[in-house]
Amino acid sequence: MSLQETDKKYIANTYNRFPVSIVSGKGSVVKDENGKEYIDLGSGIGVTSFGIADDVWQTAITEQIAKVQHMSNLYYTEPCARLAEMLCEKTGMKKVFFSNSGAEANECAIKIARKYAFDKYGKDRYTIVTLKNSFHGRTLTTLSATGQEHYHELFNPLTPGFTSVDMGDLDALNKIHAETPVAGVLIECIQGEGGVLPIDADFIKSLNAWCNENDVLFMVDEVQTGNGRTGEFYAYMNYGVTPDVVSTAKGLAGGLPLGATLIGEKAQSVLGFGDHGSTFGGNPVCCAAAVSIVKRIDSALLADVKEKSKAVFEALQGAKGVESVSGMGLMIGIKPVRPAAEIVKEVMDKGVLCLTAKDKVRLLPALNIPQETLLKAVEIIKNACANV
Ligand SMILES: *Cc1c(COP(=O)(O)O)cnc(C)c1O
């Protein structure tokens, strides 16, 4: 059996894979089993922050693997403490809980909001409000948080105590709070899976203010938007808001599984011994990888992300067959006249890997992709869009 046949036979049928096996790569160029090269504008859905098999990242991992690859959370290890310190210094947050994925980072955020409200207001204040069209993960509770019905239908009953409101609808939020008191509000500043859809800046500020007035935790899901992706370390920093809780994962460890939930001053003491835990969370190899990534997301790199973003927007805005371009930094959505999936397939044949999100072609290239490589790939996408 070929590799693809074996995969089809034995792997659960949840992914509709392209008929391509990726075998190796370097930076933003990957190779398939036939030696064909692709410019990678997907970076494993925003995970390989500094590209494939990056040298600095590899060294950080191999050095840590040679020391200790895993220890239970019963003991101290260096990389997770260093990483937590770096994340708190970059954000002003006070505490970090490490897990293994975006969904788990959000689960932790939700538990913090529930316990914060329980400790202060008792058992009836537990509702978590999210936005329509959001995406917060695939576990049953983060599916419940996800404001898209079509993810829910087949898996009822979901975790109770979740509801979602339309972007801009503070009235709905007030109404919910009056009927079923709210413990936390969880939002993405730019909805990724929802179609690279930026949330209105004034609404983000109003939500933060509303949360402060009502002593409700303001929580930002930075799983996709975080760790340099938008040209700031976290996307919320573009809006002058101060979240109480931040969840992140995807690009944090540059390609190893790591989730983090950052907790601000207000809720820093909510989690006590035994309230939460994870066997693999804070794994020293994943954390050493993340230290090497976070170290390099400095002001020069962020300025570079913004610069490259500008070049992509300029190349695509108003181009033939392109209805609109959305997003921020190196999280970019292109709405083509043609179906997005058609464009993605076509440019793959021409040596470019990119993603879709709803009706958009979605780009999440490595943060350090050379501008020349990026623009070469964007030109190929532009030509495919123009072919209407
Ligand atoms: C990908 C994503 C998640 C889920 O992350 P996993 O690591 O797949 O669990 C949650 N929230 C957002 C915004 C995401 O983009």
Side-chain angles (χ1 to χ4, degrees), residues 45 47 100-106 134-139 142 146 187-188 190-193 221-225 247 249-250 258 331 362:
I45 316 191
V47 168
N100 313 285
S101 68
E104 282 178 274
N106 284 332
S134 57
F135 182 83
H136 297 295
R138 300 282 196 165
T139 62
T142 55
T146 292
I187 66 159
E188 299 156 272
I190 302 170
Q191 293 180 335
E193 303 308 310
D221 179 341
E222 296 271 2
V223 174
Q224 190 160 154
T225 52
S247 57
K250 287 196 167 90
L258 182 64
M331 176 172 180
R362 176 173 42 157

Side-chain angles (χ1 to χ4, degrees), residues 25-313:
K26 194 75 191 169
S28 288
V29 177
V30 296
K31 242 188 227 179
D32 73 11
E33 77 275 32
N34 303 314
K36 178 174 168 173
E37 289 192 340
Y38 303 83
I39 298 174
D40 178 15
L41 301 188
S43 66
I45 316 191
V47 168
T48 49
S49 303
F50 285 82
I52 301 289
D54 175 75
D55 291 326
V56 177
W57 178 83
Q58 273 193 65
T59 303
I61 290 167
T62 47
E63 282 181 5
Q64 185 56 44
I65 275 185
K67 287 183 200 157
V68 54
Q69 83 275 31
H70 174 81
M71 245 312 127
S72 78
N73 277 310
L74 296 173
Y75 310 100
Y76 293 96
T77 52
E78 186 176 350
C80 69
R82 291 271 168 263
L83 178 61
E85 181 184 34
M86 288 167 82
L87 291 173
C88 287
E89 278 174 358
K90 283 203 178 275
T91 58
M93 305 297 273
K94 301 298 181 196
K95 300 269 187 198
V96 182
F97 181 86
F98 288 118
S99 53
N100 313 285
S101 68
E104 282 178 274
N106 284 332
E107 290 267 351
C108 178
I110 292 160
K111 283 179 78 171
I112 290 167
R114 288 255 168 106
K115 182 156 186 292
Y116 178 81
F118 177 84
D119 288 347
K120 277 182 97 167
Y121 302 100
K123 67 175 177 43
D124 293 328
R125 181 151 159 161
Y126 53 75
T127 301
I128 307 288
V129 177
T130 61
L131 297 184
K132 299 267 190 240
N133 196 51
S134 57
F135 182 83
H136 297 295
R138 300 282 196 165
T139 62
L140 270 173
T141 292
T142 55
L143 266 190
S144 313
T146 292
Q148 301 189 57
E149 279 305 317
H150 72 97
Y151 283 109
H152 296 172
E153 287 155 1
L154 304 174
F155 302 103
N156 285 315
L158 299 179
T159 306
F162 288 84
T163 178
S164 55
V165 299
D166 283 312
M167 186 186 339
D169 199 350
L170 271 186
D171 291 345
L173 185 55
N174 277 312
K175 194 159 169 263
I176 291 162
H177 193 45
E179 285 165 11
T180 52
V182 176
V185 170
L186 174 66
I187 66 159
E188 299 156 272
C189 291
I190 302 170
Q191 293 180 335
E193 303 308 310
V196 197
L197 222 70
I199 302 303
D200 177 69
D202 288 334
F203 183 55
I204 293 176
K205 287 189 192 123
S206 314
L207 279 179
N208 190 14
W210 186 92
C211 287
N212 287 342
E213 279 159 27
N214 292 284
D215 197 21
V216 166
L217 294 190
F218 180 56
M219 311 196 285
V220 180
D221 179 341
E222 296 271 2
V223 174
Q224 190 160 154
T225 52
N227 313 301
R229 178 58 50 195
T230 68
E232 291 292 338
F233 191 73
Y234 286 124
Y236 76 78
M237 294 169 174
N238 293 292
Y239 301 89
V241 292
T242 310
D244 299 305
V245 179
V246 171
S247 57
T248 192
K250 287 196 167 90
L252 178 60
L256 289 184
L258 182 64
T261 309
L262 282 52
I263 313 161
E265 192 159 7
K266 204 187 273 180
Q268 65 170 318
S269 309
V270 166
L271 294 180
F273 293 142
D275 286 340
H276 201 37
S278 166
T279 299
F280 284 118
N283 170 275
V285 178
C286 300
C287 287
V291 166
S292 90
I293 296 290
V294 172
K295 245 189 211 161
R296 285 191 282 169
I297 306 176
D298 55 12
S299 54
L301 181 97
L302 293 173
D304 205 44
V305 166
K306 286 182 180 148
E307 194 75 15
K308 285 184 274 201
S309 177
K310 210 172 136 218
V312 174
F313 272 82

